[in-house]
C-alpha cells in the first residue's frame, strides 16, 4: 500500500469506528430479547439450539420446549440434557401421522403448561420454543394467551420461537425476526435426512 492509500484506509476505518461507536452508545436498554426464526429454509431450530449452547456456555440457564418433535431423536437434546438443560417435548409425532385433532390439542396444551411455567421463572435466562408457530397456525394454542405469556415474562428473559409461517402478531411483537429462505435443500435432490446433521 502506498502512503496515500494507507492514509485513505485509516480515514475510512476511522469513520466506520465512529459509526459503530455511536450505535453502541445508543443501545442502552438492558432487557431480554424476543426472537422469531421463521421461513422455509433449513436452519431455524439449529439456530435456536446454537443460542441455547451460547447461553449455557456462559453458565446461564436455558430451557427448551419442543412442539411436534416427539417421535424424533434429537442430537441436541442428548447433549443439552446432560448439560442440565430441561426439555419439555410434546408427546406426539407429526400431526399428519397422528391425525387426531383432540389428542394433538391436548398434547400441545400439556406442553404449553410447562412452557408457561418457564416463561414465569426469572432464574431461566433463555427459553427456546421450538416449532411453536405451528401450534398457533393449527389453533392448538390460543394466540392471545401465548402473547400474554410472552409479554409478562421476566424482564431479562430471552425467548426464541421457531417454525415456518410465523403469525404476523408474533413477528410484530418480536425484537429480532429472521427469515431463513430456502435456496435449495438436499432432501429435494433425494438425499435422506442425515443423523448428526438433520436431527
Ligand atoms: P433444522 O432443524 O435443520 O435447523 P429447521 O428447523 O429450519 O431445520 P424444520 O422445518 O423444523 O426446519 O425441519 C426439520 C427437518 O426438516 C430437518 O431435518 C431439516 O433438515 C428438514 N428441512 C428443513 N428445511 C427443509 C426444506 N426446505 N426442504 C426439506 N426439508 C427441510
Ligand atoms: Mg425446526
Amino acid at each position: 500500500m502506498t502512503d496515500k492509500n494507507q492514509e485513505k484506509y485509516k480515514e475510512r476505518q476511522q469513520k466506520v469506528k465512529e459509526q459503530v461507536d455511536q450505535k453502541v452508545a445508543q443501545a442502552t436498554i438492558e432487557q431480554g430479547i424476543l426472537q422469531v426464526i421463521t421461513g422455509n429454509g433449513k436452519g431455524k431450530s439449529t439456530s435456536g439450539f446454537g443460542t441455547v449452547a451460547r447461553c449455557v456456555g456462559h453458565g446461564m440457564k436455558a430451557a427448551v420446549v419442543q412442539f411436534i418433535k416427539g417421535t424424533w431423536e434429537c442430537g441436541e437434546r442428548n447433549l443439552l440434557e446432560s448439560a442440565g438443560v430441561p426439555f419439555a417435548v410434546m408427546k406426539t409425532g407429526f400431526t399428519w401421522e397422528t391425525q387426531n385433532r383432540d389428542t394433538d390439542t391436548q398434547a400441545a396444551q400439556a406442553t404449553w403448561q410447562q412452557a408457561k411455567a418457564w416463561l414465569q421463572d426469572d432464574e431461566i435466562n433463555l427459553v427456546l420454543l421450538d416449532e411453536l408457530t405451528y401450534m398457533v397456525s393449527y389453533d392448538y394454542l390460543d394466540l392471545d394467551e401465548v402473547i400474554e405469556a410472552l409479554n409478562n415474562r421476566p424482564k431479562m428473559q430471552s425467548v426464541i420461537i421457531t417454525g415456518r409461517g410465523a403469525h404476523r402478531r408474533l413477528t410484530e411483537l418480536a425484537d429480532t425476526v429472521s427469515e431463513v429462505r430456502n435456496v435449495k435443500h438436499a432432501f429435494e435432490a433425494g438425499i435422506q435426512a442425515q443423523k448428526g446433521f438433520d436431527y
Side-chain angles (χ1 to χ4, degrees):
M1 238 190 258
T2 63
D3 282 356
K4 207 173 163 196
N5 280 347
Q6 181 68 30
E7 201 49 45
K8 269 199 176 146
Y9 176 78
K10 231 179 125 179
E11 238 172 64
R12 252 201 325 264
Q13 292 303 93
Q14 180 58 32
K15 268 200 189 125
V16 172
K17 185 184 165 2
E18 278 165 19
Q19 281 166 1
V20 172
D21 286 351
Q22 197 187 359
K23 279 193 181 143
V24 170
Q26 276 166 359
T28 55
I29 305 165
E30 272 267 27
Q31 64 169 63
I33 291 164
L34 174 62
Q35 180 180 15
V36 170
I37 310 170
T38 191
N40 294 328
K42 173 179 167 66
K44 300 176 290 295
S45 296
T46 45
S47 171
F49 280 116
T51 308
V52 169
R54 184 174 279 180
C55 175
V56 174
H58 285 295
M60 296 161 73
K61 274 183 118 178
V64 176
V65 187
Q66 288 182 296
F67 294 95
I68 82 167
K69 284 287 174 68
T71 59
W72 279 44
E73 202 194 335
C74 171
E76 294 96 330
R77 184 178 175 192
N78 298 342
L79 178 73
L80 291 167
E81 274 190 337
S82 69
V85 176
F87 271 62
V89 182
M90 199 163 117
K91 287 189 181 52
T92 175
F94 280 100
T95 46
W96 46 92
E97 280 173 10
T98 58
Q99 294 180 358
N100 184 326
R101 192 170 177 86
D102 288 343
T103 53
D104 286 345
T105 305
Q106 277 165 23
Q109 288 290 339
T111 312
W112 172 242
Q113 295 315 309
Q114 178 60 71
K116 264 203 311 200
W118 285 334
L119 289 169
Q120 289 166 14
D121 184 344
D122 63 8
E123 301 240 298
I124 297 183
N125 303 101
L126 173 67
V127 182
L128 171 59
L129 302 173
D130 193 29
E131 321 295 350
L132 176 115
T133 59
Y134 306 101
M135 303 302 103
V136 170
S137 314
Y138 300 157
D139 244 352
Y140 296 163
L141 299 182
D142 179 42
L143 181 56
D144 285 330
E145 199 185 321
V146 171
I147 286 178
E148 194 189 322
L150 292 170
N151 278 330
N152 293 335
R153 76 188 197 275
K155 182 172 179 262
M156 293 311 296
Q157 185 181 78
S158 291
V159 175
I160 301 173
I161 294 171
T162 77
R164 299 175 191 207
H167 194 285
R168 211 195 145 108
R169 284 179 64 202
L170 290 176
T171 57
E172 277 172 2
L173 184 68
D175 306 295
T176 299
V177 179
S178 299
E179 187 166 307
V180 184
R181 185 167 68 90
N182 183 46
V183 177
K184 57 170 142 172
H185 193 285
F187 185 69
E188 292 155 13
I191 304 172
Q192 279 182 19
Q194 295 296 301
K195 184 175 184 172
F197 190 91
D198 288 300
Y199 61 91

